[in-house]
Amino acid sequence: MEQPEIVENAGLWDGRLLTFESLPSTNQWALDNIGSCLHGDVIWAARQTAGRGRFLRKWLSPANRCLTVSVVIQPESPDDFMVKTIAQTGALAVRSTLEKYSIKAMVKWPNDVLVNGRKIAGILAESESQAGALILGIGLNVNLVPGDLSCAPLMQPATSMAIEKKRTFDMGDMCARLLSELETMIGLVARERESFLINTWQKHDFLMEKRVEVRTHEGTVSGKYAGLDKNGRLRLIDDAGQERLFWTGDVSIIKEF
Ligand code: BT5
């Protein structure tokens, strides 16, 4: 297995940045090597050969064009507010990173970042129960060109920073900027908690005021999207007028004619 290049204090907080040329999946590497990881370590692979999304879906990341990182977080307690809301916090950090490059992005529950309705980034939060660690995986389409993702059918259209801005971006700068925004966002959420999370999410919420369909392994429910609850769950007012809360699922907007 390839040995990473390690840079001290270049991860999150005082963590390290561990860079690989190629890994199957940065989240999987962090899970497999959790014993040697420290709080705040960031795993970055220039190329992922088996990147994954939620529910074991594939995440496609052409070499050096999609920023694929995983952050190791060892929360003080498994009930930590941050644990429940880390995917939303990650999405908000990606959104504010993009704003720094004048790209107006919106968040879509639970883990997407969209530009003009096209997916530019996805988040995968996984936990490692023995070490009590949380792995926050982020895939951000930086320099993808049209056609890069044409090898597979996508659940929704995709875009990249390069497609939006018609220029390429330095991956190292992008990684540093993303980690800095993430550190700030995690700090804000930890200090100001649900009021900050709910309000900030609401300002950039792609689903606000929409009629949606939420699909889970238990079935599909439709109704009016009503934002996040205090634990980061999706609130839906179903067609019978009842509030329903979801920890996970896939959401799509119902087109009204
Ligand atoms: C996600 O899942 O969006 C989470 C993606 C997390 C990827 C990161 S990369 C670093 C870390 N290491 C990993 O192995 N994973 C994490 P989900 O909501 O399930 O969306 C997956 C769906 O997005 C796929 O089924 C495709 O339809 C679509 N997709 C795949 N690659 C894409 C890309 N590069 N850009 C936009 N959409 C993509």
Side-chain angles (χ1 to χ4, degrees), residues 120-137:
I120 196 164
I123 315 284
L124 177 66
E126 296 182 293
S127 53
E128 206 288 335
S129 46
Q130 269 184 329
L134 201 60
I135 313 297
L136 175 66

Side-chain angles (χ1 to χ4, degrees), residues 1-256:
M1 170 71 82
E2 178 192 334
Q3 291 303 308
E5 184 191 315
I6 301 178
V7 184
E8 300 290 336
N9 296 318
L12 225 63
W13 307 295
D14 296 326
R16 305 167 301 173
L17 180 63
L18 288 78
T19 309
F20 292 82
E21 268 311 305
S22 179
L23 280 181
S25 150
T26 53
N27 264 36
Q28 192 58 50
W29 190 91
L31 290 169
D32 292 344
N33 294 277
I34 198 70
S36 60
C37 288
L38 308 170
H39 179 57
D41 278 358
V42 175
I43 324 303
W44 176 16
R47 175 166 172 261
Q48 282 192 141
T49 53
R52 60 171 185 255
R54 295 175 307 135
F55 314 119
L56 299 182
R57 293 192 284 239
K58 285 197 175 109
W59 182 258
L60 305 169
S61 33
N64 292 309
R65 300 227 268 270
C66 179
L67 180 63
T68 51
V69 291
S70 296
V71 182
V72 177
I73 301 172
Q74 279 161 338
E76 293 191 350
S77 127
D79 293 331
D80 204 318
F81 176 65
M82 180 181 68
V83 176
K84 297 182 204 149
T85 56
I86 194 70
Q88 286 78 40
T89 305
L92 288 174
V94 173
R95 196 215 65 82
S96 61
T97 304
L98 291 168
E99 193 171 63
K100 300 280 186 286
Y101 294 87
S102 309
I103 298 175
K104 189 172 162 12
M106 304 194 87
V107 288
K108 175 174 175 253
W109 188 93
N111 66 329
D112 288 348
V113 184
L114 309 180
V115 176
N116 296 322
R118 296 172 173 265
K119 184 159 170 168
I120 196 164
I123 315 284
L124 177 66
E126 296 182 293
S127 53
E128 206 288 335
S129 46
Q130 269 184 329
L134 201 60
I135 313 297
L136 175 66
I138 300 177
L140 169 61
N141 294 338
V142 177
N143 289 327
L144 266 75
V145 295
D148 264 344
L149 302 177
S150 56
C151 56
L154 297 179
M155 290 163 66
Q156 57 187 329
T159 190
S160 72
M161 294 177 68
I163 292 171
E164 295 301 320
K165 289 309 228 188
K166 301 187 175 40
R167 71 168 178 99
T168 56
F169 294 83
D170 181 273
M171 297 293 277
D173 289 351
M174 281 310 305
C175 184
R177 182 61 77 95
L178 174 63
L179 295 180
S180 151
E181 291 295 319
L182 189 58
E183 198 170 310
T184 304
M185 196 59 73
I186 291 177
L188 283 166
V189 171
R191 272 196 309 281
E192 298 179 32
R193 298 180 66 90
E194 53 262 28
S195 61
F196 173 82
L197 184 79
I198 293 171
N199 290 338
T200 314
W201 189 271
Q202 197 172 15
K203 278 189 204 146
H204 308 289
D205 194 339
F206 181 70
L207 297 173
M208 209 25 117
E209 302 295 325
K210 300 283 193 307
R211 250 185 79 69
V212 300
E213 203 171 69
V214 184
R215 290 181 306 282
T216 70
H217 62 274
E218 283 162 5
T220 300
V221 187
S222 55
K224 187 163 179 240
Y225 173 81
L228 298 188
D229 85 336
K230 63 181 172 44
N231 289 312
R233 289 177 294 187
L234 179 147
R235 293 178 58 226
L236 183 86
I237 309 303
D238 71 15
D239 293 337
Q242 298 295 311
E243 180 183 75
R244 308 275 291 260
L245 297 169
F246 295 87
W247 281 113
T248 184
D250 286 311
V251 190
S252 45
I253 294 173
I254 301 174
K255 294 223 163 44
E256 294 183 77

